[in-house]
Amino acid sequence: MTPDDINAKLATASEALYGEAASLRAVDPRSLSLLKRNARTFDKDTFQQLTANVRADKRLSSMPLCWETPEGLLEVLSGNHRVQAAIEAGLEQILVLVLHGDLSKAQRIAIQLSHNALVGTDDPTLLAELWADIDDIESKLYAGLSSDVVAKLEKIELVGFTTPQVYTRTVSLAFVDDELSHFDAVLEQLEMLSGETVHLAPLSQFERFFSALEGVKKKFEVRNTSLAMLKMCEICEAALAEDVTPDAGAQS
């Protein structure tokens, strides 16, 4: 069945469900217009897991919400990360719910924030920017942010600045069981990761590694795991420079 055939059937169901207010459509996720500013953030591990789930399921578990612009483009209001995961997973078609009619910028932002308020974590500065862009009380009420959150947003001072592009490289550390079957399963999962380098170690060493990492964070008051890893490297380099050799009982 072609996409046109699928959408013809969906049009009938949409009319019965939503009338002229909205419609269900099967679309290529690459054709959708993503939000340029989205207060809802996913950390890299969470997004990779989402992408892996979508790739395994070969579908999205919930529909992104879109709005059809006067030019006929479909703009994603809710579900940007799901659409991006679908693209990364190579899905050719996804099901979306499209809102019809005129929606002001304030109304579109209000819809975005109201959906974001249900799940996930917001970037406070970007959330404050988006909140400031809503210029009418009705849309602010629709966004559904709590009075505590609104009070915090009003205190945020928005300052414009440009951050330099920082080159990063992904290195994955995996701790695996010694059993061959478990090892093979872990390797299959690692193949789905985008990291350029993967280091493997026995699972029995994880507690020792994790304890050392937490110790570095606590001693040097470092919260960021990447910075703590760099600090561990500095400690190792200093020990090597002094030719410090651990005793036999501490070696693995």
Side-chain angles (χ1 to χ4, degrees):
M1 184 179 295
T2 67
D4 288 341
D5 293 333
I6 294 173
N7 282 316
K9 293 183 179 295
L10 288 174
T12 302
S14 298
E15 185 175 358
L17 290 170
Y18 310 114
E20 297 181 355
S23 63
L24 296 168
R25 296 191 199 172
V27 300
D28 184 338
R30 297 159 193 78
S31 68
L32 299 175
S33 177
L34 296 172
L35 290 172
K36 293 181 176 61
R37 297 187 301 161
N38 187 8
R40 181 49 36 95
T41 61
F42 272 28
D43 61 56
K44 187 172 183 179
D45 290 340
T46 301
F47 180 73
Q48 286 182 341
Q49 184 60 58
L50 173 62
T51 302
N53 291 347
V54 172
R55 184 180 290 112
D57 294 339
K58 295 182 173 56
R59 65 179 184 277
L60 294 181
S61 58
S62 58
M63 289 185 297
L65 179 66
C66 302
W67 172 65
E68 187 169 20
T69 70
E71 295 77 24
L73 297 176
L74 296 186
E75 178 182 297
V76 180
L77 300 179
S78 174
N80 276 258
H81 294 100
R82 279 170 281 158
V83 171
Q84 290 174 310
I87 294 172
E88 290 289 329
L91 298 189
E92 296 183 357
Q93 294 285 314
I94 61 173
L95 185 64
V96 299
L97 178 61
V98 180
L99 299 180
H100 299 163
D102 295 331
L103 288 178
S104 67
K105 179 181 179 181
Q107 289 173 320
R108 299 197 302 274
I109 294 175
I111 291 173
Q112 173 194 344
L113 298 186
S114 70
H115 283 232
N116 285 354
L118 299 177
V119 177
T121 305
D122 287 316
D123 178 312
T125 302
L126 188 49
L127 181 60
E129 291 180 2
L130 292 169
W131 180 255
D133 281 348
I134 300 180
D135 53 11
D136 65 272
I137 297 298
E138 185 177 351
S139 294
K140 286 182 180 290
L141 292 174
Y142 182 91
L145 301 184
S146 69
S147 57
D148 291 341
V149 172
V150 171
K152 292 177 181 178
L153 294 181
E154 300 295 344
K155 295 178 181 179
I156 295 178
E157 182 178 357
L158 301 178
V159 179
F161 64 94
T162 301
T163 57
Q165 294 294 324
V166 179
Y167 172 77
T168 62
R169 180 177 179 181
T170 300
V171 177
S172 300
L173 302 175
F175 293 84
V176 300
D177 286 327
D178 294 332
E179 292 86 349
L180 181 60
S181 59
H182 289 172
F183 182 78
D184 288 339
V186 170
L187 286 181
E188 290 181 5
Q189 294 181 3
L190 290 175
E191 288 177 355
M192 295 186 292
L193 299 178
S194 60
E196 298 177 9
T197 306
V198 176
H199 299 277
L200 298 179
L203 183 61
S204 59
Q205 295 297 320
F206 173 74
E207 290 298 336
R208 181 183 176 192
F209 170 80
F210 186 76
S211 177
L213 184 62
E214 287 299 302
V216 169
K217 285 185 174 182
K218 184 176 180 179
K219 181 176 179 61
F220 297 96
E221 298 182 351
V222 176
R223 293 186 178 182
N224 184 280
T225 300
S226 297
L227 293 180
M229 290 284 290
L230 290 176
K231 193 63 181 179
M232 288 179 70
C233 290
E234 292 178 6
I235 294 171
C236 291
E237 288 170 346
L240 290 172
E242 297 176 8
D243 196 21
V244 176
T245 303
D247 57 41
Q251 294 181 2
S252 59

